[in-house]
Amino acid sequence: MNHKITKRSFIRRCAALSAGALCLPGTGFLAEEQSGFRKEAMFQEETARGIMCRICPNECVLKEGELSKCNNRKVIRSKLYTLAYGNPCSANVDPVEKKPLYHFLPGTRAFSIATAGCNLVCLNCQNWTISQTSPDKTRNYNLMPDKVVSESIAKGCKSIAYTYSEPVTFYEYAYDTAVLAKQAGIRNIFKSNGYIYPEPLKKLCGVIDAANIDLKAFSEGTYLRLSGGKLQPVLDSLRIYRDMGVWLEITNLIVPKWTDNTDEIKKMCGWLAENGFGKVPIHFSRFHPTYKLEQLPPTPVDTLNKAAQIAREEGLLYVYTGNVPGSELSDTKCPGCGSTVVVRQGYRIAANNLAEGKCGKCGSKVDGVWS
Ligand code: SF4
């Protein structure tokens, strides 16, 4: 094993750290060799053109040696393998509020992992140093599923979050870990773009407790240009998460010039309200210049507040803004009497006036998973 750190690998390691990595005691960085972190892929199908992956709507069809669009699946000796199994490039303990999940075990910690790879190519990706690359190009931990669960317990976490890059693309690793976590009484959280086919998603919903799904835009054209994906599969995923009893929250990142059109925001909120997502918390998140959209300004706070107002007018009950320090729109209001039931300061819970999921003042039910 060669543990020598070159200038290049040091820079890569720093980039991974900025995307959420934390050196865990006893889990040192690995050497370059990644072949021990392969596993035969789930949902693969032989076709006349090659092996097809049926996990997400990209439907990669790969020939021998070809790498998938998400950069972490490969055909080896006529079988599709995931190259992202047990080798996260990020491992960290986060407040659950950071996902963001505001109605799920507030004030608890989530053991958070990610491998390299993503099935979309968002121009605004905050974690592009790990999402737009493959596991052989990141510095990784050796953390097999049983070790993830034991580390979570040792660090006092109530949940494991599959996050930072795109967990759909490290499906097998996330699924196997989630099964073990569930057996150990640890909850599972998916922070995802929702770009997944119904069959693998339904299987996953059997072991996932909560999800925060990015709804990046509300037109097919914007979705394609901004992220390289399609809107409809994400809407289908939202329904599946909700119908299968997974606690769901939605994030809409408002990117100036791309997704700040108030008519489109109104259309999106109207669709959510009409389609049974009125009680699903929505987070309008502030964009900061990054990756291929560095030239854009941060989202004005007024734009976020306007979006929140539209959402409430359209009938959404729990509306938040994100990445806006000091905003009252990060607090939870009782849908019955309007009083503040959870006060947040950044990711910290400053006050919690809920009693068994009910408003401490008027007794109305506040939707969520509170214990
Ligand atoms: S999960 Fe990856 S390999 Fe599978 S279809 Fe999507 S992009 Fe392709």
Side-chain angles (χ1 to χ4, degrees):
M1 283 190 181
N2 174 17
H3 287 284
K4 195 175 157 214
I5 302 218
T6 61
K7 190 178 168 196
R8 205 158 152 211
S9 64
F10 175 77
I11 291 167
R12 266 199 228 130
R13 182 172 167 170
C14 290
L17 282 166
S18 72
L22 176 76
C23 287
L24 299 169
T27 54
F29 279 100
L30 300 169
E32 300 299 322
E33 181 53 56
Q34 287 291 312
S35 59
F37 300 95
R38 282 180 199 154
K39 193 173 189 208
E40 202 171 305
M42 295 163 83
F43 301 100
Q44 60 177 291
E45 198 178 296
E46 257 188 74
T47 73
R49 292 178 294 132
I51 310 286
M52 178 186 278
C53 172
R54 300 275 305 154
I55 287 183
C56 93
N58 286 337
E59 289 193 344
C60 295
V61 179
L62 304 167
K63 295 191 170 45
E64 193 67 30
E66 277 182 351
L67 193 61
S68 61
K69 188 169 177 183
C70 56
N71 280 311
N72 64 26
R73 288 164 189 275
K74 202 178 219 178
V75 174
I76 301 164
R77 290 188 289 280
S78 306
K79 283 273 175 211
L80 185 65
Y81 282 82
T82 169
L83 310 178
Y85 193 94
N87 51 351
C89 55
S90 296
N92 208 355
V93 174
D94 285 340
V96 74
E97 284 74 18
K98 193 176 174 183
K99 299 305 128 195
L101 284 174
Y102 280 7
H103 291 228
F104 186 80
L105 307 178
T108 63
R109 299 196 285 177
F111 191 83
S112 303
I113 55 170
T115 72
C118 184
N119 51 355
L120 295 182
V121 285
C122 302
L123 303 177
N124 56 286
C125 185
Q126 287 178 344
N127 290 336
W128 62 273
T129 52
I130 60 169
S131 71
Q132 302 302 312
T133 189
S134 54
D136 63 336
K137 296 197 175 62
T138 50
R139 300 291 287 171
N140 304 325
Y141 299 107
N142 180 353
L143 273 182
M144 284 296 160
D146 59 336
K147 185 80 174 151
V148 176
V149 176
S150 60
E151 286 284 341
S152 322
I153 294 168
K155 290 183 165 48
C157 297
K158 291 275 184 260
S159 59
I160 296 169
Y162 310 92
T163 179
Y164 303 135
S165 56
E166 179 43 60
V168 163
T169 74
F170 58 89
Y171 184 96
E172 295 81 358
Y173 179 37
Y175 181 80
D176 287 358
T177 305
V179 169
L180 294 182
K182 204 172 173 65
Q183 288 165 4
I186 299 280
R187 317 278 180 97
N188 291 293
I189 294 170
F190 238 52
K191 169 62 196 162
S192 170
N193 59 25
Y195 209 56
I196 182 170
Y197 265 151
E199 197 191 342
L201 178 54
K202 285 178 185 167
K203 186 176 173 71
L204 188 73
C205 285
V207 290
I208 291 290
D209 299 283
N212 183 302
I213 303 299
D214 290 320
L215 182 53
K216 294 172 187 289
F218 206 66
S219 85
E220 290 289 357
T222 309
Y223 237 92
L224 187 64
R225 288 193 301 277
L226 187 62
S227 71
K230 292 177 274 190
L231 167 64
Q232 191 56 49
V234 181
L235 299 181
D236 296 342
S237 291
L238 292 179
R239 287 186 204 272
I240 293 171
Y241 274 115
R242 181 200 57 198
D243 294 347
M244 291 198 66
V246 173
W247 175 255
L248 177 64
E249 302 194 18
I250 293 172
T251 295
N252 176 241
L253 180 78
I254 301 193
V255 183
K257 298 187 178 160
W258 285 86
T259 58
D260 58 352
N261 180 301
T262 48
D263 289 341
E264 198 169 304
I265 292 170
K266 190 170 159 50
K267 229 166 99 187
M268 176 180 75
C269 296
W271 184 90
L272 288 169
E274 282 160 23
N275 287 276
F277 295 93
K279 294 176 180 173
V280 171
I282 184 163
H283 303 256
F284 292 105
S285 192
R286 191 177 196 204
F287 163 85
H288 289 288
T290 186
Y291 194 35
K292 297 192 177 172
L293 297 182
E294 266 192 326
Q295 74 285 4
L296 292 181
T299 318
V301 173
D302 281 353
T303 307
L304 295 158
N305 292 343
K306 177 77 187 151
Q309 188 191 332
I310 292 170
R312 283 192 299 266
E313 285 167 4
E314 290 299 313
L316 303 188
L317 270 191
Y318 306 108
V319 181
Y320 300 100
T321 58
N323 298 337
V324 186
S327 169
E328 273 189 17
L329 288 177
S330 64
D331 297 340
T332 299
K333 307 271 188 225
C334 167
C337 68
S339 66
T340 303
V341 286
V342 182
V343 181
R344 297 182 182 82
Q345 282 171 352
Y347 298 134
R348 202 177 68 83
I349 301 294
N352 186 340
N353 303 321
L354 285 169
E356 293 175 358
K358 292 185 178 150
C359 171
K361 198 169 169 193
C362 75
S364 296
K365 184 186 171 203
V366 181
D367 298 277
V369 178
W370 306 108
S371 60

PDB file of all heavy atoms in Angstrom, residues 183-215:
ATOM      1  N   GLN A 183     -32.375  -3.171  11.492  1.00  0.00           N
ATOM      2  CA  GLN A 183     -32.320  -4.250  12.489  1.00  0.00           C
ATOM      3  C   GLN A 183     -31.758  -3.752  13.819  1.00  0.00           C
ATOM      4  O   GLN A 183     -32.108  -4.249  14.882  1.00  0.00           O
ATOM      5  CB  GLN A 183     -31.447  -5.401  11.970  1.00  0.00           C
ATOM      6  CG  GLN A 183     -32.103  -6.202  10.860  1.00  0.00           C
ATOM      7  CD  GLN A 183     -31.120  -7.092  10.102  1.00  0.00           C
ATOM      8  OE1 GLN A 183     -29.932  -7.181  10.442  1.00  0.00           O
ATOM      9  NE2 GLN A 183     -31.603  -7.744   9.060  1.00  0.00           N
ATOM     10  N   ALA A 184     -30.886  -2.738  13.747  1.00  0.00           N
ATOM     11  CA  ALA A 184     -30.242  -2.221  14.962  1.00  0.00           C
ATOM     12  C   ALA A 184     -31.015  -1.045  15.573  1.00  0.00           C
ATOM     13  O   ALA A 184     -30.566  -0.437  16.541  1.00  0.00           O
ATOM     14  CB  ALA A 184     -28.808  -1.792  14.639  1.00  0.00           C
ATOM     15  N   GLY A 185     -32.173  -0.711  14.995  1.00  0.00           N
ATOM     16  CA  GLY A 185     -32.986   0.382  15.545  1.00  0.00           C
ATOM     17  C   GLY A 185     -32.509   1.771  15.155  1.00  0.00           C
ATOM     18  O   GLY A 185     -32.879   2.765  15.774  1.00  0.00           O
ATOM     19  N   ILE A 186     -31.687   1.855  14.123  1.00  0.00           N
ATOM     20  CA  ILE A 186     -31.223   3.154  13.612  1.00  0.00           C
ATOM     21  C   ILE A 186     -32.071   3.501  12.376  1.00  0.00           C
ATOM     22  O   ILE A 186     -32.268   2.653  11.512  1.00  0.00           O
ATOM     23  CB  ILE A 186     -29.724   3.077  13.202  1.00  0.00           C
ATOM     24  CG1 ILE A 186     -28.848   2.721  14.403  1.00  0.00           C
ATOM     25  CG2 ILE A 186     -29.248   4.346  12.520  1.00  0.00           C
ATOM     26  CD1 ILE A 186     -28.523   3.844  15.327  1.00  0.00           C
ATOM     27  N   ARG A 187     -32.558   4.739  12.300  1.00  0.00           N
ATOM     28  CA  ARG A 187     -33.394   5.129  11.160  1.00  0.00           C
ATOM     29  C   ARG A 187     -32.514   5.456   9.948  1.00  0.00           C
ATOM     30  O   ARG A 187     -31.328   5.751  10.096  1.00  0.00           O
ATOM     31  CB  ARG A 187     -34.231   6.357  11.491  1.00  0.00           C
ATOM     32  CG  ARG A 187     -34.867   6.353  12.857  1.00  0.00           C
ATOM     33  CD  ARG A 187     -36.140   5.559  12.920  1.00  0.00           C
ATOM     34  NE  ARG A 187     -36.669   5.633  14.278  1.00  0.00           N
ATOM     35  CZ  ARG A 187     -37.616   6.474  14.675  1.00  0.00           C
ATOM     36  NH1 ARG A 187     -38.161   7.316  13.823  1.00  0.00           N
ATOM     37  NH2 ARG A 187     -38.033   6.493  15.924  1.00  0.00           N
ATOM     38  N   ASN A 188     -33.146   5.445   8.783  1.00  0.00           N
ATOM     39  CA  ASN A 188     -32.428   5.706   7.528  1.00  0.00           C
ATOM     40  C   ASN A 188     -33.026   6.889   6.777  1.00  0.00           C
ATOM     41  O   ASN A 188     -34.252   7.003   6.657  1.00  0.00           O
ATOM     42  CB  ASN A 188     -32.506   4.472   6.628  1.00  0.00           C
ATOM     43  CG  ASN A 188     -31.704   3.318   7.196  1.00  0.00           C
ATOM     44  OD1 ASN A 188     -30.480   3.383   7.266  1.00  0.00           O
ATOM     45  ND2 ASN A 188     -32.385   2.262   7.630  1.00  0.00           N
ATOM     46  N   ILE A 189     -32.136   7.735   6.257  1.00  0.00           N
ATOM     47  CA  ILE A 189     -32.556   8.967   5.566  1.00  0.00           C
ATOM     48  C   ILE A 189     -31.933   9.019   4.171  1.00  0.00           C
ATOM     49  O   ILE A 189     -30.727   8.815   4.021  1.00  0.00           O
ATOM     50  CB  ILE A 189     -32.060  10.205   6.358  1.00  0.00           C
ATOM     51  CG1 ILE A 189     -32.758  10.283   7.716  1.00  0.00           C
ATOM     52  CG2 ILE A 189     -32.268  11.488   5.565  1.00  0.00           C
ATOM     53  CD1 ILE A 189     -32.135  11.326   8.642  1.00  0.00           C
ATOM     54  N   PHE A 190     -32.756   9.282   3.162  1.00  0.00           N
ATOM     55  CA  PHE A 190     -32.249   9.493   1.804  1.00  0.00           C
ATOM     56  C   PHE A 190     -32.325  10.976   1.476  1.00  0.00           C
ATOM     57  O   PHE A 190     -33.404  11.569   1.520  1.00  0.00           O
ATOM     58  CB  PHE A 190     -33.117   8.715   0.799  1.00  0.00           C
ATOM     59  CG  PHE A 190     -32.338   7.733  -0.029  1.00  0.00           C
ATOM     60  CD1 PHE A 190     -31.503   6.809   0.582  1.00  0.00           C
ATOM     61  CD2 PHE A 190     -32.449   7.718  -1.413  1.00  0.00           C
ATOM     62  CE1 PHE A 190     -30.776   5.890  -0.180  1.00  0.00           C
ATOM     63  CE2 PHE A 190     -31.728   6.809  -2.180  1.00  0.00           C
ATOM     64  CZ  PHE A 190     -30.896   5.893  -1.561  1.00  0.00           C
ATOM     65  N   LYS A 191     -31.189  11.576   1.174  1.00  0.00           N
ATOM     66  CA  LYS A 191     -31.169  12.942   0.646  1.00  0.00           C
ATOM     67  C   LYS A 191     -30.831  12.800  -0.830  1.00  0.00           C
ATOM     68  O   LYS A 191     -29.687  12.490  -1.188  1.00  0.00           O
ATOM     69  CB  LYS A 191     -30.112  13.783   1.377  1.00  0.00           C
ATOM     70  CG  LYS A 191     -29.824  15.132   0.722  1.00  0.00           C
ATOM     71  CD  LYS A 191     -31.029  16.029   0.695  1.00  0.00           C
ATOM     72  CE  LYS A 191     -30.844  17.193  -0.282  1.00  0.00           C
ATOM     73  NZ  LYS A 191     -32.106  17.827  -0.661  1.00  0.00           N
ATOM     74  N   SER A 192     -31.838  12.996  -1.681  1.00  0.00           N
ATOM     75  CA  SER A 192     -31.682  12.520  -3.055  1.00  0.00           C
ATOM     76  C   SER A 192     -32.320  13.456  -4.070  1.00  0.00           C
ATOM     77  O   SER A 192     -33.163  14.290  -3.738  1.00  0.00           O
ATOM     78  CB  SER A 192     -32.349  11.138  -3.138  1.00  0.00           C
ATOM     79  OG  SER A 192     -32.451  10.683  -4.459  1.00  0.00           O
ATOM     80  N   ASN A 193     -31.926  13.265  -5.339  1.00  0.00           N
ATOM     81  CA  ASN A 193     -32.555  14.012  -6.420  1.00  0.00           C
ATOM     82  C   ASN A 193     -33.840  13.343  -6.908  1.00  0.00           C
ATOM     83  O   ASN A 193     -34.490  13.844  -7.821  1.00  0.00           O
ATOM     84  CB  ASN A 193     -31.572  14.208  -7.585  1.00  0.00           C
ATOM     85  CG  ASN A 193     -31.055  12.892  -8.154  1.00  0.00           C
ATOM     86  OD1 ASN A 193     -31.694  11.857  -8.040  1.00  0.00           O
ATOM     87  ND2 ASN A 193     -29.886  12.932  -8.781  1.00  0.00           N
ATOM     88  N   GLY A 194     -34.180  12.192  -6.336  1.00  0.00           N
ATOM     89  CA  GLY A 194     -35.431  11.524  -6.700  1.00  0.00           C
ATOM     90  C   GLY A 194     -35.420  10.936  -8.102  1.00  0.00           C
ATOM     91  O   GLY A 194     -36.462  10.523  -8.611  1.00  0.00           O
ATOM     92  N   TYR A 195     -34.218  10.860  -8.722  1.00  0.00           N
ATOM     93  CA  TYR A 195     -34.114  10.378 -10.092  1.00  0.00           C
ATOM     94  C   TYR A 195     -33.853   8.878 -10.074  1.00  0.00           C
ATOM     95  O   TYR A 195     -32.708   8.416 -10.177  1.00  0.00           O
ATOM     96  CB  TYR A 195     -33.004  11.142 -10.820  1.00  0.00           C
ATOM     97  CG  TYR A 195     -33.240  11.269 -12.303  1.00  0.00           C
ATOM     98  CD1 TYR A 195     -34.412  11.845 -12.782  1.00  0.00           C
ATOM     99  CD2 TYR A 195     -32.304  10.828 -13.227  1.00  0.00           C
ATOM    100  CE1 TYR A 195     -34.649  11.979 -14.138  1.00  0.00           C
ATOM    101  CE2 TYR A 195     -32.519  10.959 -14.592  1.00  0.00           C
ATOM    102  CZ  TYR A 195     -33.696  11.531 -15.039  1.00  0.00           C
ATOM    103  OH  TYR A 195     -33.920  11.653 -16.393  1.00  0.00           O
ATOM    104  N   ILE A 196     -34.936   8.140  -9.901  1.00  0.00           N
ATOM    105  CA  ILE A 196     -34.840   6.691  -9.716  1.00  0.00           C
ATOM    106  C   ILE A 196     -36.107   6.062 -10.281  1.00  0.00           C
ATOM    107  O   ILE A 196     -37.169   6.691 -10.282  1.00  0.00           O
ATOM    108  CB  ILE A 196     -34.649   6.364  -8.208  1.00  0.00           C
ATOM    109  CG1 ILE A 196     -34.503   4.861  -7.961  1.00  0.00           C
ATOM    110  CG2 ILE A 196     -35.749   6.956  -7.342  1.00  0.00           C
ATOM    111  CD1 ILE A 196     -34.065   4.519  -6.532  1.00  0.00           C
ATOM    112  N   TYR A 197     -36.000   4.829 -10.753  1.00  0.00           N
ATOM    113  CA  TYR A 197     -37.172   4.141 -11.288  1.00  0.00           C
ATOM    114  C   TYR A 197     -38.030   3.574 -10.153  1.00  0.00           C
ATOM    115  O   TYR A 197     -37.520   3.282  -9.068  1.00  0.00           O
ATOM    116  CB  TYR A 197     -36.712   3.013 -12.209  1.00  0.00           C
ATOM    117  CG  TYR A 197     -36.665   3.400 -13.676  1.00  0.00           C
ATOM    118  CD1 TYR A 197     -35.774   2.808 -14.548  1.00  0.00           C
ATOM    119  CD2 TYR A 197     -37.559   4.343 -14.186  1.00  0.00           C
ATOM    120  CE1 TYR A 197     -35.739   3.156 -15.892  1.00  0.00           C
ATOM    121  CE2 TYR A 197     -37.530   4.695 -15.530  1.00  0.00           C
ATOM    122  CZ  TYR A 197     -36.628   4.101 -16.372  1.00  0.00           C
ATOM    123  OH  TYR A 197     -36.610   4.443 -17.690  1.00  0.00           O
ATOM    124  N   PRO A 198     -39.336   3.402 -10.416  1.00  0.00           N
ATOM    125  CA  PRO A 198     -40.242   2.948  -9.356  1.00  0.00           C
ATOM    126  C   PRO A 198     -39.842   1.620  -8.687  1.00  0.00           C
ATOM    127  O   PRO A 198     -39.934   1.496  -7.468  1.00  0.00           O
ATOM    128  CB  PRO A 198     -41.587   2.799 -10.075  1.00  0.00           C
ATOM    129  CG  PRO A 198     -41.524   3.805 -11.178  1.00  0.00           C
ATOM    130  CD  PRO A 198     -40.080   3.805 -11.635  1.00  0.00           C
ATOM    131  N   GLU A 199     -39.390   0.637  -9.468  1.00  0.00           N
ATOM    132  CA  GLU A 199     -39.133  -0.675  -8.860  1.00  0.00           C
ATOM    133  C   GLU A 199     -38.029  -0.614  -7.795  1.00  0.00           C
ATOM    134  O   GLU A 199     -38.253  -1.034  -6.655  1.00  0.00           O
ATOM    135  CB  GLU A 199     -38.811  -1.697  -9.957  1.00  0.00           C
ATOM    136  CG  GLU A 199     -38.945  -3.127  -9.466  1.00  0.00           C
ATOM    137  CD  GLU A 199     -38.369  -4.142 -10.459  1.00  0.00           C
ATOM    138  OE1 GLU A 199     -38.177  -3.803 -11.646  1.00  0.00           O
ATOM    139  OE2 GLU A 199     -38.093  -5.279 -10.021  1.00  0.00           O
ATOM    140  N   PRO A 200     -36.839  -0.084  -8.117  1.00  0.00           N
ATOM    141  CA  PRO A 200     -35.838   0.023  -7.048  1.00  0.00           C
ATOM    142  C   PRO A 200     -36.269   0.952  -5.918  1.00  0.00           C
ATOM    143  O   PRO A 200     -35.939   0.708  -4.750  1.00  0.00           O
ATOM    144  CB  PRO A 200     -34.589   0.570  -7.750  1.00  0.00           C
ATOM    145  CG  PRO A 200     -35.019   1.004  -9.104  1.00  0.00           C
ATOM    146  CD  PRO A 200     -36.272   0.281  -9.432  1.00  0.00           C
ATOM    147  N   LEU A 201     -37.041   1.987  -6.241  1.00  0.00           N
ATOM    148  CA  LEU A 201     -37.465   2.905  -5.182  1.00  0.00           C
ATOM    149  C   LEU A 201     -38.409   2.201  -4.207  1.00  0.00           C
ATOM    150  O   LEU A 201     -38.285   2.366  -2.984  1.00  0.00           O
ATOM    151  CB  LEU A 201     -38.140   4.152  -5.786  1.00  0.00           C
ATOM    152  CG  LEU A 201     -38.661   5.159  -4.761  1.00  0.00           C
ATOM    153  CD1 LEU A 201     -37.574   5.582  -3.771  1.00  0.00           C
ATOM    154  CD2 LEU A 201     -39.231   6.395  -5.446  1.00  0.00           C
ATOM    155  N   LYS A 202     -39.333   1.412  -4.734  1.00  0.00           N
ATOM    156  CA  LYS A 202     -40.274   0.725  -3.840  1.00  0.00           C
ATOM    157  C   LYS A 202     -39.536  -0.229  -2.909  1.00  0.00           C
ATOM    158  O   LYS A 202     -39.866  -0.333  -1.728  1.00  0.00           O
ATOM    159  CB  LYS A 202     -41.329  -0.019  -4.662  1.00  0.00           C
ATOM    160  CG  LYS A 202     -42.356   0.945  -5.256  1.00  0.00           C
ATOM    161  CD  LYS A 202     -43.375   0.222  -6.095  1.00  0.00           C
ATOM    162  CE  LYS A 202     -44.292   1.234  -6.767  1.00  0.00           C
ATOM    163  NZ  LYS A 202     -45.105   0.659  -7.828  1.00  0.00           N
ATOM    164  N   LYS A 203     -38.541  -0.905  -3.441  1.00  0.00           N
ATOM    165  CA  LYS A 203     -37.746  -1.804  -2.583  1.00  0.00           C
ATOM    166  C   LYS A 203     -37.045  -1.000  -1.478  1.00  0.00           C
ATOM    167  O   LYS A 203     -37.039  -1.373  -0.315  1.00  0.00           O
ATOM    168  CB  LYS A 203     -36.723  -2.548  -3.455  1.00  0.00           C
ATOM    169  CG  LYS A 203     -35.938  -3.626  -2.721  1.00  0.00           C
ATOM    170  CD  LYS A 203     -35.044  -4.365  -3.694  1.00  0.00           C
ATOM    171  CE  LYS A 203     -34.111  -5.336  -2.994  1.00  0.00           C
ATOM    172  NZ  LYS A 203     -34.762  -6.516  -2.440  1.00  0.00           N
ATOM    173  N   LEU A 204     -36.498   0.122  -1.877  1.00  0.00           N
ATOM    174  CA  LEU A 204     -35.777   0.987  -0.936  1.00  0.00           C
ATOM    175  C   LEU A 204     -36.706   1.526   0.157  1.00  0.00           C
ATOM    176  O   LEU A 204     -36.331   1.621   1.331  1.00  0.00           O
ATOM    177  CB  LEU A 204     -35.173   2.149  -1.725  1.00  0.00           C
ATOM    178  CG  LEU A 204     -34.223   3.073  -0.994  1.00  0.00           C
ATOM    179  CD1 LEU A 204     -32.898   2.371  -0.747  1.00  0.00           C
ATOM    180  CD2 LEU A 204     -33.982   4.338  -1.817  1.00  0.00           C
ATOM    181  N   CYS A 205     -37.920   1.874  -0.237  1.00  0.00           N
ATOM    182  CA  CYS A 205     -38.872   2.457   0.727  1.00  0.00           C
ATOM    183  C   CYS A 205     -39.192   1.489   1.868  1.00  0.00           C
ATOM    184  O   CYS A 205     -39.649   1.923   2.924  1.00  0.00           O
ATOM    185  CB  CYS A 205     -40.161   2.887   0.024  1.00  0.00           C
ATOM    186  SG  CYS A 205     -39.946   4.410  -0.919  1.00  0.00           S
ATOM    187  N   GLY A 206     -38.944   0.210   1.650  1.00  0.00           N
ATOM    188  CA  GLY A 206     -39.152  -0.770   2.724  1.00  0.00           C
ATOM    189  C   GLY A 206     -38.175  -0.582   3.872  1.00  0.00           C
ATOM    190  O   GLY A 206     -38.417  -1.084   4.981  1.00  0.00           O
ATOM    191  N   VAL A 207     -37.071   0.115   3.647  1.00  0.00           N
ATOM    192  CA  VAL A 207     -36.051   0.268   4.701  1.00  0.00           C
ATOM    193  C   VAL A 207     -35.701   1.733   5.010  1.00  0.00           C
ATOM    194  O   VAL A 207     -34.905   2.002   5.904  1.00  0.00           O
ATOM    195  CB  VAL A 207     -34.749  -0.510   4.355  1.00  0.00           C
ATOM    196  CG1 VAL A 207     -34.973  -2.007   4.443  1.00  0.00           C
ATOM    197  CG2 VAL A 207     -34.206  -0.132   2.982  1.00  0.00           C
ATOM    198  N   ILE A 208     -36.296   2.645   4.264  1.00  0.00           N
ATOM    199  CA  ILE A 208     -35.988   4.071   4.474  1.00  0.00           C
ATOM    200  C   ILE A 208     -37.096   4.710   5.322  1.00  0.00           C
ATOM    201  O   ILE A 208     -38.274   4.431   5.130  1.00  0.00           O
ATOM    202  CB  ILE A 208     -35.882   4.793   3.103  1.00  0.00           C
ATOM    203  CG1 ILE A 208     -34.638   4.320   2.338  1.00  0.00           C
ATOM    204  CG2 ILE A 208     -35.861   6.306   3.255  1.00  0.00           C
ATOM    205  CD1 ILE A 208     -33.321   4.765   2.905  1.00  0.00           C
ATOM    206  N   ASP A 209     -36.709   5.554   6.267  1.00  0.00           N
ATOM    207  CA  ASP A 209     -37.689   6.191   7.154  1.00  0.00           C
ATOM    208  C   ASP A 209     -38.043   7.607   6.719  1.00  0.00           C
ATOM    209  O   ASP A 209     -39.159   8.065   6.962  1.00  0.00           O
ATOM    210  CB  ASP A 209     -37.125   6.243   8.579  1.00  0.00           C
ATOM    211  CG  ASP A 209     -36.854   4.842   9.105  1.00  0.00           C
ATOM    212  OD1 ASP A 209     -37.813   4.169   9.481  1.00  0.00           O
ATOM    213  OD2 ASP A 209     -35.676   4.406   9.098  1.00  0.00           O
ATOM    214  N   ALA A 210     -37.073   8.325   6.161  1.00  0.00           N
ATOM    215  CA  ALA A 210     -37.320   9.717   5.791  1.00  0.00           C
ATOM    216  C   ALA A 210     -36.507  10.059   4.546  1.00  0.00           C
ATOM    217  O   ALA A 210     -35.448   9.479   4.301  1.00  0.00           O
ATOM    218  CB  ALA A 210     -36.923  10.664   6.927  1.00  0.00           C
ATOM    219  N   ALA A 211     -37.053  11.018   3.773  1.00  0.00           N
ATOM    220  CA  ALA A 211     -36.332  11.458   2.572  1.00  0.00           C
ATOM    221  C   ALA A 211     -36.524  12.946   2.382  1.00  0.00           C
ATOM    222  O   ALA A 211     -37.596  13.484   2.650  1.00  0.00           O
ATOM    223  CB  ALA A 211     -36.857  10.718   1.332  1.00  0.00           C
ATOM    224  N   ASN A 212     -35.465  13.597   1.961  1.00  0.00           N
ATOM    225  CA  ASN A 212     -35.592  14.961   1.457  1.00  0.00           C
ATOM    226  C   ASN A 212     -35.214  14.901  -0.017  1.00  0.00           C
ATOM    227  O   ASN A 212     -34.095  14.519  -0.373  1.00  0.00           O
ATOM    228  CB  ASN A 212     -34.691  15.948   2.201  1.00  0.00           C
ATOM    229  CG  ASN A 212     -34.916  17.362   1.691  1.00  0.00           C
ATOM    230  OD1 ASN A 212     -34.758  17.636   0.509  1.00  0.00           O
ATOM    231  ND2 ASN A 212     -35.315  18.249   2.586  1.00  0.00           N
ATOM    232  N   ILE A 213     -36.181  15.257  -0.861  1.00  0.00           N
ATOM    233  CA  ILE A 213     -35.983  15.131  -2.308  1.00  0.00           C
ATOM    234  C   ILE A 213     -35.910  16.518  -2.945  1.00  0.00           C
ATOM    235  O   ILE A 213     -36.732  17.390  -2.669  1.00  0.00           O
ATOM    236  CB  ILE A 213     -37.152  14.334  -2.944  1.00  0.00           C
ATOM    237  CG1 ILE A 213     -37.271  12.952  -2.282  1.00  0.00           C
ATOM    238  CG2 ILE A 213     -36.978  14.201  -4.450  1.00  0.00           C
ATOM    239  CD1 ILE A 213     -36.064  12.058  -2.405  1.00  0.00           C
ATOM    240  N   ASP A 214     -34.914  16.688  -3.793  1.00  0.00           N
ATOM    241  CA  ASP A 214     -34.784  17.946  -4.538  1.00  0.00           C
ATOM    242  C   ASP A 214     -35.784  17.969  -5.678  1.00  0.00           C
ATOM    243  O   ASP A 214     -35.787  17.064  -6.520  1.00  0.00           O
ATOM    244  CB  ASP A 214     -33.375  18.071  -5.142  1.00  0.00           C
ATOM    245  CG  ASP A 214     -32.323  18.304  -4.082  1.00  0.00           C
ATOM    246  OD1 ASP A 214     -32.584  19.073  -3.140  1.00  0.00           O
ATOM    247  OD2 ASP A 214     -31.237  17.702  -4.186  1.00  0.00           O
ATOM    248  N   LEU A 215     -36.613  19.009  -5.688  1.00  0.00           N
ATOM    249  CA  LEU A 215     -37.448  19.281  -6.853  1.00  0.00           C
ATOM    250  C   LEU A 215     -36.828  20.530  -7.458  1.00  0.00           C
ATOM    251  O   LEU A 215     -37.007  21.634  -6.968  1.00  0.00           O
ATOM    252  CB  LEU A 215     -38.906  19.499  -6.402  1.00  0.00           C
ATOM    253  CG  LEU A 215     -39.950  19.744  -7.472  1.00  0.00           C
ATOM    254  CD1 LEU A 215     -39.931  18.662  -8.545  1.00  0.00           C
ATOM    255  CD2 LEU A 215     -41.343  19.818  -6.844  1.00  0.00           C
TER     256      LEU A 215
END
